[in-house]
Amino acid sequence: MALKTIASSLLIAALTGAGLAAADLCPKLDAIGHAQPQPWVFSGLNWTLTQISSGKTWPPPDNDFDESRVAFQIQSDFNNAPVSCAAGGREFSEEYLRQLAGKAPTYHWYECEGASADVKTEFKMVWWNTHTLDIRQTWTCPATGRPMRATGRLTMSNFNCVFDSQSRRTSCTSKTGSRLPFDATIVEVLPPPTRQCAAASEATPDFDVLDFVWVTRTTTFGLDPGFSNMTFRLVNQALDYSPRMICSEKALHGPQGGVYITPYSCDVFEANEEDVPPTRFDWVLDSKSLLRVNQTWYCDDAAIQGTRFQSIGELDLKPLLDCSAKSNSYTIAGGTFVETFTTCVTESDFEIQGTLQ
């Protein structure tokens, strides 16, 4: 069954016509294009889950009955009336991943329609396991003509739910109160990387790595696996894009199927998703401490229109790492154990030479 968007809004009162000052749409920005966080109020969450599939076939057929639906309201300082949003379909079902029978799920952005085109409000909900709701508002600053974006994320939990066997629906309402405040991050959206880049891409498909930090936690308690995380910034030399690209992973793991496959992602929070060159990295630990980077981008001025460039580079960081450790004792079930945090940085930023594929 195709997902259906059912969205309406009292909207962001016609910004120019309703007296919203340009200053409200053009907040003061800091050195990296961020404004002060803005308080939003989230309210009225109502989630209705249809019990999918009669159970006769599994996974359920495409036309199986599913009218799972989510609805809520969001209010920002841009308007005095809340924006009301709702959407329905399998995407909002607790069973979504099981329906896909192992296929990777896709979650969509849904627009909250309204009478004003000045500010657009959208939402995306990932209900499976994480129960996260992402909300974003986008507009253009009249003074600069630059696009702006405000984003916020909520984790949904604590529901009162009632199942009706006749309708096969479970209706859930939030127990977190009628009005839930949270902060939205406001940024000026970065322009996309240049597409006039063929010559530079062929000459310097290399990367600069900035602010590298690797943290590992180990413990003497056998049932506590510890963790390892990493973060750094990455700049593509050919595109000069972008010192705001952040590569991070909270749970580094070993090879998958015995092979390292650059499984971790990099992103530029301040950019539009579709403008960011797909970028992945891996951290290969065997006899070396190998950081591997894999990035793809396109240039319009190449001999073949729209030529695709892919650069992969790697560097052994073991000679560059400066590590320090700090240990603490903790108690579980009467036993005392030691946890050790090891933090490794590089004394300076460094370059990884890439090879075009």
Side-chain angles (χ1 to χ4, degrees):
M1 183 179 81
L3 295 176
K4 297 180 180 178
T5 303
I6 318 152
S8 63
S9 114
L10 302 175
L11 200 67
I12 308 220
L15 301 177
T16 53
L20 187 64
D24 296 321
L25 295 177
C26 303
K28 184 178 180 180
L29 304 175
D30 62 18
I32 62 169
H34 287 229
Q36 287 293 317
Q38 180 191 84
W40 282 356
V41 175
F42 174 89
S43 63
L45 176 69
N46 191 305
W47 173 47
T48 301
L49 170 64
T50 305
Q51 180 178 318
I52 62 172
S53 179
S54 62
K56 294 180 180 179
T57 59
W58 196 261
D62 289 341
N63 61 353
D64 191 46
F65 178 73
D66 188 355
E67 293 182 353
S68 299
R69 186 176 186 274
V70 66
F72 63 92
Q73 292 185 326
I74 182 70
Q75 182 169 335
S76 71
D77 282 354
F78 295 126
N79 61 314
N80 294 320
V83 177
S84 299
C85 302
R90 290 183 178 181
E91 188 168 332
F92 304 99
S93 168
E94 187 71 64
E95 306 253 2
Y96 186 42
L97 279 189
R98 287 195 283 271
Q99 288 185 66
L100 295 172
K103 297 180 181 179
T106 300
Y107 297 96
H108 301 84
W109 284 98
Y110 291 92
E111 184 175 349
C112 304
E113 298 176 355
S116 171
D118 293 300
V119 177
K120 181 169 72 172
T121 303
E122 301 169 289
F123 77 95
K124 177 174 66 175
M125 176 173 281
V126 178
W127 202 264
W128 180 263
N129 291 332
T130 58
H131 295 183
T132 56
L133 177 66
D134 290 317
I135 303 167
R136 68 185 180 194
Q137 291 185 318
T138 53
W139 67 95
T140 299
C141 166
T144 65
R146 294 285 303 134
M148 303 290 296
R149 184 180 67 227
T151 54
R153 168 172 286 187
L154 284 170
T155 299
M156 305 289 96
S157 59
N158 298 321
F159 295 93
N160 288 315
C161 298
V162 178
F163 175 66
D164 182 84
S165 58
Q166 186 172 359
S167 65
R168 293 199 302 165
R169 291 193 177 105
T170 299
S171 182
C172 301
T173 56
S174 174
K175 294 192 295 185
T176 55
S178 60
R179 293 170 64 85
L180 180 63
F182 70 107
D183 281 342
T185 302
I186 303 173
V187 301
E188 181 182 67
V189 179
L190 286 179
T194 178
R195 302 276 296 205
Q196 306 301 305
C197 53
S201 298
E202 293 172 358
T204 56
D206 305 324
F207 306 99
D208 292 324
V209 177
L210 319 174
D211 303 333
F212 178 91
V213 180
W214 172 37
V215 177
T216 301
R217 175 183 176 270
T218 57
T219 173
T220 57
F221 181 41
L223 298 179
D224 186 342
F227 62 78
S228 182
N229 62 54
M230 177 177 293
T231 183
F232 58 91
R233 292 187 291 132
L234 186 73
V235 179
N236 178 313
Q237 292 185 6
L239 303 177
D240 193 27
Y241 187 89
S242 163
R244 296 191 217 173
M245 175 168 279
I246 301 296
C247 302
S248 64
E249 173 56 43
K250 295 181 179 178
L252 295 170
H253 54 73
Q256 298 178 346
V259 179
Y260 287 94
I261 54 173
T262 56
Y264 311 118
S265 297
C266 305
D267 196 15
V268 181
F269 175 77
E270 295 85 358
N272 289 323
E273 296 174 28
E274 61 272 17
D275 292 337
V276 180
T279 308
R280 302 180 72 80
F281 74 97
D282 203 355
W283 183 231
V284 182
L285 291 177
D286 38 40
S287 60
K288 301 178 180 179
S289 298
L290 202 67
L291 179 63
R292 180 178 294 145
V293 176
N294 183 340
Q295 188 174 74
T296 301
W297 66 96
Y298 294 84
C299 301
D300 290 341
D301 59 341
I304 302 175
Q305 188 70 12
T307 294
R308 171 183 178 272
F309 289 88
Q310 180 185 19
S311 178
I312 298 177
E314 60 185 35
L315 183 67
D316 181 10
L317 301 192
K318 186 171 289 187
L320 306 180
L321 293 176
D322 182 11
C323 301
S324 60
K326 181 179 180 180
S327 297
N328 306 295
S329 298
Y330 66 104
T331 302
I332 295 180
T336 300
F337 304 93
V338 177
E339 61 178 0
T340 301
F341 293 87
T342 302
T343 301
C344 297
V345 299
T346 56
E347 294 184 356
S348 61
D349 300 331
F350 55 91
E351 178 184 275
I352 293 181
Q353 293 184 351
T355 301
L356 290 178
Q357 305 301 298

